[in-house]
Amino acid sequence: MDFDYGIIGGGPAGYTVAMNLASQGHKVVLFEKDKLGGTCLNRGCIPTKSLLHSSEIYRQILKSSDLGLDIEVKNFDFSKIAQKRDDAVEKIRKGLELAVKNSGVTVVYSEAKALNQNTILADSKEYNINKVIFATGSKPREVKGLEFDNNFILSSDDVLKLNSLPNSVLIIGSGAIGIEWARIFSNFGVEVSIVEMAEHLIPLADTEVSKRVERIFKQRKIKFFTNDSIDKIENKIVTLKSGNIIQPDFILSAIGRVPIDETTTGIEALGDIRGEILLAHYAIQQGLNYANGENLSPDKNLIPSVIYGEPEIAWVGLREQDCPEECKKISLPITALGKSWCDDATEGFIKILTKEGYIIGAHIVSKEASALIQQLLIVMQNNIKIDDLKKVCFAHPTYSEGIFEAICRL
């Protein structure tokens, strides 16, 4: 069988480049050994957001009396919550499968191996390929002493297989995975502890963002130990370097992801396997760029990061601790926005960093932060001056007008 392009891996990078190449008239075959959608759809972004949504509704109902609502909550059935999560994933995946099929891409559900730069072996068949592309993604990072055993030490893949909740959990790492799972478990009443080796939670974030999240976690009784790590584990008793002792039902090791090992010499690679920014939207952008003949590594300062939950956390561009001395900043509390009081969502801020009249960084802790950061990213990517942004009419009452309020204070 002869194809112009053969893509190994049906995650965000793989299906994006496949469909876009096919739309240009190329003959494309996409190999996927499991299910289309990759980690993001099947074991990451989508299922966790479904669980977050259910957990936050439950948490809001518990405090509904503060809103003047008399709602009796008996309990929740986590198996049904898990089923709702799985149903959402399946519906989205079916939509993706149909889109890939309609684009003209040939999909082969089989483990594939590149024999050389022009031959792929899959399901005992050889495919002649003009151009082979690897998009095999990443896997949970495993470290010595915290090897996954699918029992007491779980990966982010393992924890999605739970059909019941623990009484307590210890989370190692406070990146997006660790923070979101801490929120999910805590919202459902699970006792949560986090261990982070860095000085603050979410070490990749702006320090002011990290400190605000720490304050929120203290209010919600989520325990965290920074500048700390595990010293030993004996009989499911965890002793930290600091001397603190934790006895969780299990440990979720959420210390990031690593590219899946592949021999890619002489073969193009897209997405997480490149080991650059391991985010689905970055992989999608690379797939689009490849299909359009553009730079595979776009400006990393223009790639947004989002951590979901209540409130959302989002940032793009430079952090304050990395800014040159001549940069200016403004930090607007979310309490300045009427919409936040209406929504009972007053926790957070909008922080904008500028230099010579342009935005060079933005950091948001707020409801709808994932949407707000996109507005600022558009401004940054198109080199729009702050004075020109001030001429935009922002609707009221919204969270978006917080951007206008902030820049008018510069």
Side-chain angles (χ1 to χ4, degrees), residues 171-272:
I171 299 174
I172 309 300
S174 65
I177 298 172
I179 294 296
E180 289 182 9
W181 274 107
R183 288 172 154 180
I184 291 169
F185 284 128
S186 177
N187 288 344
F188 282 131
V190 175
E191 183 180 330
V192 177
S193 300
I194 304 173
V195 173
E196 171 56 61
M197 293 181 65
E199 183 179 358
H200 292 288
L201 297 180
I202 323 179
L204 293 180
D206 183 277
T207 301
E208 191 174 351
V209 169
S210 297
K211 290 180 178 179
R212 181 59 63 95
V213 172
E214 290 171 358
R215 189 177 87 176
I216 293 169
F217 276 18
K218 285 179 180 178
Q219 293 171 345
R220 297 185 183 177
K221 300 188 181 339
I222 297 175
K223 299 176 183 178
F224 56 90
F225 305 87
T226 54
N227 277 327
D228 213 342
S229 60
I230 291 179
D231 181 42
K232 62 180 179 179
I233 302 174
E234 293 180 345
N235 299 319
K236 296 187 176 183
I237 298 175
V238 181
T239 303
L240 304 183
K241 298 278 188 182
S242 61
N244 287 291
I245 295 175
I246 305 171
Q247 293 182 261
D249 290 339
F250 65 76
I251 295 172
L252 167 58
S253 182
I255 51 178
R257 300 180 65 84
V258 293
I260 291 175
D261 296 331
E262 294 281 3
T263 301
T264 58
T265 304
I267 296 176
E268 191 64 76
L270 300 175
D272 284 6

Side-chain angles (χ1 to χ4, degrees), residues 74-92:
K74 295 180 179 179
N75 210 325
F76 59 85
D77 186 337
F78 189 74
S79 64
K80 290 183 178 179
I81 292 171
Q83 186 60 56
K84 180 258 182 186
R85 169 202 66 196
D86 296 342
D87 290 345
V89 170
E90 184 177 1
K91 287 178 181 178
I92 296 170

Side-chain angles (χ1 to χ4, degrees), residues 7 35 91 161 185 244 256 280-281 285 287 294 310 326 352 364:
I7 299 145
K35 299 171 182 176
K91 287 178 181 178
K161 300 173 185 176
F185 284 128
N244 287 291
H281 47 277
Q285 189 66 50
E294 299 174 0
E310 184 184 325
E326 61 269 27
I352 297 175
I364 304 175

Side-chain angles (χ1 to χ4, degrees), residues 288-405:
L288 287 170
N289 286 3
Y290 181 90
N292 294 327
E294 299 174 0
N295 184 2
L296 287 184
S297 298
D299 187 347
K300 294 179 177 58
N301 274 328
L302 297 176
I303 304 301
S305 294
V306 181
I307 299 177
Y308 295 86
E310 184 184 325
E312 290 184 338
I313 305 156
W315 67 87
V316 68
L318 294 181
R319 305 176 299 178
E320 184 178 355
Q321 59 261 42
D322 301 326
C323 275
E325 292 182 3
E326 61 269 27
C327 85
K328 298 179 181 180
K329 78 163 183 175
I330 180 65
S331 186
L332 180 84
I334 293 301
T335 51
L337 305 177
K339 188 69 162 62
S340 72
W341 291 98
C342 298
D343 293 348
D344 192 31
T346 54
E347 184 62 76
F349 59 85
I350 296 173
K351 177 176 174 178
I352 297 175
L353 305 171
T354 71
K355 181 181 177 182
E356 299 175 353
Y358 293 91
I359 296 173
I360 60 173
H363 308 270
I364 304 175
V365 178
S366 171
K367 186 174 183 178
E368 300 184 14
S370 57
L372 297 178
I373 205 68
Q374 211 63 41
Q375 296 177 35
L376 290 166
L377 173 55
I378 291 170
V379 171
M380 293 169 64
Q381 187 155 336
N382 290 281
N383 293 313
I384 298 172
K385 290 183 177 181
I386 294 171
D387 285 343
D388 290 329
L389 182 58
K390 290 179 181 179
K391 299 174 184 177
V392 175
C393 182
F394 288 83
H396 171 82
T398 62
Y399 293 94
S400 292
E401 66 181 331
I403 294 173
F404 177 74
E405 293 289 342

